Amino acid sequence: MPELPEVECLTRAVRDLIRLKRCEKATFFNYKLRRPIPVDEINRHIVGQTITEVKRRAKYILVTTTNDTLVIHLGMTGNLIAYDTPNPILKHTHAILKFSDGKKGLPIYLHYIDPRRFGLFHYLPNKDLYKEPLFANLGPEPLEMRNLSNHLWYNSRSIHKPIKNFIMDNKFLVGVGNIYANESLYKARIHPATPSQQLTKEQFKNLSNQIKATLRKAIQKGGTTIKDFRTTDGSPGYFSIELNVYGKSGEPCDRCHTIIKTIRQAGRSTFFCPLCQGNPH
DNA sequence: CGTGCTGTTGCTAG
DNA sequence: ACTAGCAACAGCAC
């Protein structure tokens, strides 16, 4: 489940494995992701180059060389798994990138696997990074923004949408997907359908803190789980956080034992406690 | 067999 | 300008 914590942990794991190694080869089995994979450009500009850094922006993983960047997005079901061999090539293995440091260690084969193929491989020269459309309209990183609550409060004043959809809107904040939106609102005791404009500064302070805490906790958890990232049997890099509401429709609330309710917002399922998350007003 | 859900996000139509 | 809805796809529960 690639939300920000999963992408962050994966980014760190991939960084540790391929930084300062050379991309020896790129093999593609299915070009049809969200967009066609730019095979030629990757072969021309990434293959043969040394990876200088691996970074994350929102849920995008940026694999950079001196002059170029390969952007990878996992969509809903994408994953990267490191193997010591080019095998196995599974039904949904769409790309394999081979990295090597020349002599010392075994080569690394980074497998991109994505059943639903909503993911993305995108090439761009570093000099175009600042004008890349994928990043042009992204809001701040929740874990790097100093005055997150002020930022959210300020932007929410002119917005007409429920708070859950507001914190999931990449224009205002990146990295909060359906699971973490539900969990953060539960922790902050805010009804997901509350119009954003109605929330006070204090409520935004609380919500911002809960968003950060939830994301940090998940990253910490993932950091320990991801040790298995480099495997030969292909154990997935995903992990699960302790959930209070997501997917818990019909179960009792951990705080007050009221039955967790489900509603639909903007086509996504929302889970909340009708008692301790109050009324939407 | 359908049918309706699922971790994302960018395009389109109001 | 701003917002809601949908499509891209495969798998799974019922």
Side-chain angles (χ1 to χ4, degrees):
Chain A
M1 27 178 118
E3 288 204 31
L4 185 144
E6 289 82 357
V7 179
E8 174 63 23
C9 290
L10 206 47
T11 300
R12 293 178 187 178
V14 170
R15 178 189 304 143
D16 289 346
L17 274 183
I18 71 170
R19 205 175 80 89
L20 304 183
K21 292 196 173 76
R22 187 171 170 268
C23 180
E24 302 278 346
K25 192 178 179 184
T27 312
F28 301 99
F29 303 96
N30 191 336
Y31 310 142
K32 268 190 65 184
L33 300 185
R34 201 164 84 203
R35 302 178 193 165
I37 295 177
V39 175
D40 290 346
E41 287 169 313
I42 291 171
N43 278 322
R44 263 203 306 266
H45 299 286
I46 305 294
V47 176
Q49 302 302 311
T50 298
I51 307 307
T52 51
E53 193 47 275
V54 181
K55 289 170 286 196
R56 179 188 61 76
R57 172 71 173 114
K59 293 171 188 167
Y60 297 94
I61 299 169
L62 286 74
V63 180
T64 66
T65 68
T66 306
N67 296 317
D68 301 282
T69 295
L70 172 66
V71 181
I72 300 174
H73 194 284
L74 302 174
M76 282 180 99
T77 54
N79 202 358
L80 289 168
I81 302 176
Y83 293 92
D84 293 331
T85 69
N87 298 310
I89 298 164
L90 306 169
K91 184 175 174 186
H92 300 297
T93 304
H94 307 310
I96 299 178
L97 303 174
K98 181 187 178 189
F99 299 91
S100 165
D101 60 2
K103 297 163 191 161
K104 288 168 269 178
L106 287 170
I108 306 280
Y109 293 87
L110 202 57
H111 292 224
Y112 178 79
I113 300 161
D114 185 2
R116 285 177 79 178
R117 307 212 310 270
F118 291 173
L120 178 75
F121 271 56
H122 180 72
Y123 159 82
L124 77 160
N126 290 342
K127 63 177 170 53
D128 294 340
L129 203 51
Y130 72 99
K131 59 178 174 183
E132 169 54 45
L134 287 175
F135 309 139
N137 296 313
L138 293 180
E141 291 286 335
L143 296 178
E144 285 168 26
M145 189 73 177
R146 282 272 169 215
N147 51 356
L148 180 62
S149 71
N150 279 338
H151 164 82
L152 292 179
W153 174 81
Y154 183 79
N155 279 284
S156 69
R157 296 305 88 182
S158 55
I159 289 299
H160 295 273
K161 58 167 74 173
I163 184 61
K164 188 211 176 201
N165 301 329
F166 178 67
I167 60 173
M168 287 179 71
D169 189 330
N170 282 334
K171 278 200 297 287
F172 305 110
L173 181 67
V174 300
V176 178
N178 202 25
I179 294 177
Y180 293 91
N182 278 298
E183 294 297 315
S184 302
L185 286 164
Y186 172 82
K187 289 265 174 54
R189 298 175 186 258
I190 295 169
H191 194 295
T194 313
S196 305
Q197 284 187 344
Q198 287 181 13
L199 293 183
T200 64
K201 254 185 173 168
E202 286 67 34
Q203 285 179 300
F204 270 107
K205 185 74 198 160
N206 186 14
L207 178 57
S208 303
N209 287 339
Q210 298 301 347
I211 289 172
K212 291 186 195 177
T214 310
L215 293 175
R216 283 208 189 95
K217 194 176 167 190
I219 289 172
Q220 212 165 20
K221 176 97 183 282
T224 58
T225 314
I226 206 107
K227 278 185 202 147
D228 295 334
F229 169 68
R230 186 182 178 180
T231 59
T232 46
D233 63 354
S235 61
Y238 295 158
F239 49 92
S240 56
I241 59 164
E242 295 148 27
L243 299 171
N244 288 300
V245 284
Y246 183 83
K248 301 225 170 189
S249 192
E251 294 181 40
C253 166
D254 293 329
R255 285 192 297 236
C256 73
H257 310 299
T258 302
I259 298 302
I260 300 297
K261 212 178 147 188
T262 314
I263 55 173
R264 256 189 122 63
Q265 294 184 282
R268 316 290 301 276
S269 287
T270 298
F271 305 88
F272 66 102
C273 172
L275 184 58
C276 44
Q277 288 176 266
N279 295 312
H281 294 293

